[in-house]
Amino acid sequence: MKCSEICALLEREYGKEYACDWDNVGLLVGRRDKEVKRILLALDADDRTVRQAAEGGYDMLLTHHPMIFSPMKRVTDEDMNGRRVMELIRSDVSYYAMHTNYDTRGMADLAARLLGLQECAVLEEVRDGEGIGRVGMLPEPMTLRECAELVKRAFDIPNVRLFGDPGRQVRFAAVCPGAGKSTMPAALGFGCDVYITGDIDHHTGIDAVDQGMCIIDAGHYGVEHIFMEDVKAYLEKTLTGVHMDCMPVRHPFSVV
């Protein structure tokens, strides 16, 4: 199957028009006419992933986070992303990224289902009633500590950070996979008891608590690695004769 056909299949479900205007999604490196028999899925196109795509005989690399955000003025081996682009081109690997369009059309509902949220609504609209994050009711009232355990089970992660009293009762929740600082005002506006997201800094966390909302920071990677298996399952429903692998789940930092 041609790379262009796989791009079209992805965009049929996760249209680029649902990406935020600051984002950079779609085919970022490589040939649309490339014949694709092997696809590697990952959250990030870091050195380890690009090396695996190149040396593992893959024809296409598909990630959530775009490796190229800002315009590149030059592509040389003196620059980190330049080296990555050169490696992909040298190995004839086509590279596709689906970021906030997947957040809007896939990640939000998936995260809500994993948590068992009920009576869900969009946290922040992007287009046509679709948007980033979800708000809804937890399956039952629980303490913040119990909610933290639910999050760890749902996303298969070893630990989370809590802002708020672990013994506080929570029921109305918001979830925003990835970096959730920018959508915290929306969660506060809904009157949520707890906000489940990642990349929350000190001041954002304590300010949320002072405004009556607890936060569970499950890490940017911790809440988003679900992208890989979800998109793989979507493609497997349609593609035949294409082998797909996901990079192993490997959290970018350790707690010691």
Side-chain angles (χ1 to χ4, degrees):
M1 179 172 281
K2 300 289 187 185
C3 171
S4 59
E5 296 175 290
I6 296 172
C7 292
L9 179 62
L10 291 168
E11 289 161 19
R12 187 172 71 194
E13 182 71 13
Y14 312 105
K16 292 194 289 185
E17 67 271 19
Y18 289 97
C20 295
D21 55 10
W22 49 262
D23 206 357
N24 189 30
V25 300
L27 186 65
L28 303 187
V29 177
R31 299 188 291 118
R32 286 191 174 274
D33 64 352
K34 167 76 175 179
E35 188 69 28
V36 175
K37 295 183 179 179
R38 288 170 56 83
I39 298 174
L40 180 64
L41 295 99
L43 200 68
D44 300 283
D46 57 11
D47 286 353
R48 180 169 167 266
T49 298
V50 169
R51 190 181 311 115
Q52 177 65 22
E55 297 177 0
Y58 292 94
D59 305 299
M60 188 171 185
L61 172 62
L62 175 58
T63 72
H64 180 47
H65 297 135
M67 179 178 66
I68 303 171
F69 260 121
S70 303
M72 298 178 68
K73 294 184 177 181
R74 60 184 60 86
V75 179
T76 74
D77 63 358
E78 298 174 338
D79 174 80
M80 178 180 65
N81 273 350
R83 290 192 294 272
R84 293 168 177 170
V85 170
M86 290 172 64
E87 182 64 26
L88 291 169
I89 293 173
R90 181 165 49 243
S91 303
D92 196 18
V93 177
S94 293
Y95 169 52
Y96 190 96
M98 43 194 298
H99 189 208
T100 52
N101 53 325
Y102 175 76
D103 285 336
T104 299
R105 296 281 295 163
M107 185 87 81
D109 281 336
L110 175 59
R113 288 198 305 273
L114 290 173
L115 291 168
L117 295 188
Q118 303 163 1
E119 304 172 35
C120 289
V122 170
L123 177 62
E124 184 174 86
E125 184 175 345
V126 172
R127 179 189 175 96
D128 301 332
E130 300 275 6
I132 292 172
R134 293 291 183 267
V135 295
M137 304 298 289
L138 291 165
E140 59 186 13
M142 59 185 71
T143 65
L144 179 61
R145 186 186 301 278
E146 290 168 336
C147 187
E149 294 299 328
L150 170 64
V151 170
K152 288 163 62 177
R153 291 193 302 273
F155 294 96
D156 193 21
I157 51 180
N159 51 63
V160 298
R161 296 192 306 143
L162 303 183
F163 291 90
D165 178 2
R168 176 182 163 181
Q169 288 284 309
V170 296
R171 181 72 193 277
F172 189 33
V175 59
C176 181
K181 179 178 179 177
S182 66
T183 49
M184 192 187 85
L188 285 165
F190 274 101
C192 293
D193 301 318
V194 59
Y195 183 36
I196 302 157
T197 187
D199 288 357
I200 295 298
D201 62 78
H202 168 77
H203 293 288
T204 301
I206 63 174
D207 287 350
V209 173
D210 280 350
Q211 294 175 84
M213 184 174 72
C214 302
I215 288 181
I216 297 176
D217 185 336
H220 197 131
Y221 185 93
V223 192
E224 285 197 330
H225 69 81
I226 56 176
F227 159 84
M228 293 184 284
E229 290 293 345
D230 186 51
V231 175
K232 180 174 180 282
Y234 167 71
L235 291 174
E236 285 177 336
K237 294 176 183 176
T238 305
L239 298 182
T240 56
V242 177
H243 177 81
M244 283 173 278
D245 291 313
C246 296
M247 287 293 287
V249 173
R250 182 170 176 262
H251 295 273
F253 64 87
S254 302
V255 178
V256 297

